[in-house]
Amino acid sequence: MRWIAIGLTVLFLGNGLVMLTVPYPWYLTIPGVIQTGPFNDHFVRDIGATYLACGIGTLLGALDLRRHAGAVVVAAAFQGAHAIIHVITPFCGTSLPWPLLARDFPGVFLPTLLTIWLAVAAIKSKEAQA
């Protein structure tokens, strides 16, 4: 579990730092982002800050999953809400949703599933301690 938490930490902190420091290249590089609307520097940086918070949560989980279960749950909450948006949005357009869902799997859905799995493990380890 620790390696999953470390991998998520690297992903979330890295993405957040890039979004905060070079938001326009991030906007141009990440598949599908330009289809969501015109570039908004403030919006990209806001979400980058959220990714930093998620990275801090998973970092704390990597250090001591039982002690920092709450931080991991908060990271999972954002990732889950983010993923729900990515599930709903493809069904709102006129094209088939499946290619968009497949495109988002590695960068949105897989990290979300892993973060939720980590949060469940953190809660279970905390309950086992009590």
Side-chain angles (χ1 to χ4, degrees), residues 13-81:
L13 290 179
N15 190 45
L17 287 171
V18 171
M19 291 174 83
L20 285 168
T21 58
V22 287
Y24 190 64
W26 178 91
Y27 170 82
L28 294 174
T29 303
I30 302 300
V33 172
I34 59 173
Q35 284 84 21
T36 64
F39 173 70
N40 181 322
D41 182 79
H42 182 97
F43 186 69
V44 172
R45 290 177 195 262
D46 277 350
I47 297 170
T50 306
Y51 268 98
L52 282 183
C54 288
I56 292 167
T58 55
L59 173 62
L60 290 170
L63 296 173
D64 189 340
L65 190 59
R66 188 177 309 142
R67 183 173 179 205
H68 300 294
V72 177
V73 169
V74 170
F78 166 75
Q79 292 301 320

Side-chain angles (χ1 to χ4, degrees), residues 8-10 19 22 24 26 31 33 38 40 51 61-62 66 69 100-101 105 112 116-117 124-125 130:
L8 290 168
T9 298
V10 170
M19 291 174 83
V22 287
Y24 190 64
W26 178 91
V33 172
N40 181 322
Y51 268 98
R66 188 177 309 142
L100 300 175
L101 295 170
F105 183 80
T112 297
I116 291 170
W117 175 75
K124 285 184 178 181
S125 71

Side-chain angles (χ1 to χ4, degrees), residues 85-99:
I85 293 165
H86 279 261
V87 167
I88 293 169
T89 303
F91 290 95
C92 296
T94 56
S95 60
L96 290 175
W98 316 118

Side-chain angles (χ1 to χ4, degrees), residues 105-127:
F105 183 80
V108 176
F109 302 124
L110 182 58
T112 297
L113 292 171
L114 291 173
T115 308
I116 291 170
W117 175 75
L118 192 64
V120 169
I123 291 167
K124 285 184 178 181
S125 71
K126 193 139 181 97
E127 288 174 351

